[in-house]
Amino acid sequence: MYQELLWPREKGELYPLLEARAAALLEGETDPIANMANLSALLWQAVPELNWAGFYRAAGEELVLGPFQGKPACVRIPWGKGVCGTAAKEKTPQLVPDVHAFPGHIACDGASRSELVIPLLSREGAVIGVLDLDSPRPGRFTQEDLEGLLPVARLLTGEDPV
């Protein structure tokens, strides 16, 4: 059973604790939708200054909205479009300090100013989805956030996300 926790604000303390809590929360559950739902809720509680935390799942030539926390979002994103579609197509995390400066940014929530997207890869290397975090604060996400969240995202796939 999940118990509420006061989350540290120092990233060096936050991310190891977040990874441990996420691993415990997902332990024994094999349903990917349930795990994405719980992980998006955990991220929403733990990571400060977010206005959206969730997942898009790969479906053919596009990403389809998965479990999330935040305002209603775009339902379908073509591969290569916006920050999420670019992360999926390139199989590379996208750390965007100012979404308005990102070519082709898709504004699902006009309040979003910075974004961090981590592609989720199957064991065979295929993109199965992306973890998407948005913030209303420009420059909110750093390399330290990316490195702290990579192991958390990996819990969904059993492999290292790129």
Side-chain angles (χ1 to χ4, degrees), residues 21 45 52-53 70-71 77 90 100 108 114 133 144 162:
R21 295 297 292 231
Q45 289 181 342
W52 205 88
K71 292 180 181 178
I77 298 174
E90 297 180 2
H100 298 298
C108 297
S114 58
L133 299 175
E144 187 176 8
V162 219

Side-chain angles (χ1 to χ4, degrees), residues 1-124:
M1 181 54 102
Y2 179 76
Q3 294 181 352
E4 187 63 39
L5 176 72
L6 291 177
W7 294 95
R9 293 297 154 217
E10 291 295 322
K11 293 177 184 182
E13 296 174 25
L14 171 64
Y15 289 121
L17 179 59
L18 178 60
E19 181 184 1
R21 295 297 292 231
L25 188 62
L26 276 54
E27 183 178 3
E29 181 53 62
T30 59
D31 185 89
I33 302 298
N35 285 334
M36 288 178 188
N38 263 338
L39 193 51
S40 64
L42 184 67
L43 290 165
W44 184 256
Q45 289 181 342
V47 180
E49 297 182 282
L50 297 181
N51 63 324
W52 205 88
F55 297 89
Y56 280 90
R57 300 172 299 110
E61 297 297 313
E62 60 189 358
L63 296 168
V64 178
L65 183 64
F68 71 93
Q69 300 285 312
K71 292 180 181 178
C74 300
V75 175
R76 296 181 182 273
I77 298 174
W79 287 75
K81 302 293 181 187
V83 181
C84 289
T86 299
K89 181 179 179 182
E90 297 180 2
K91 296 184 181 182
T92 323
Q94 301 293 307
L95 180 59
V96 181
D98 180 3
V99 295
H100 298 298
F102 189 89
H105 173 253
I106 301 169
C108 297
D109 179 354
S112 292
R113 294 295 309 277
S114 58
E115 192 166 359
L116 174 59
V117 179
I118 299 172
L120 306 171
L121 304 181
S122 71
R123 292 172 194 232
E124 295 77 32

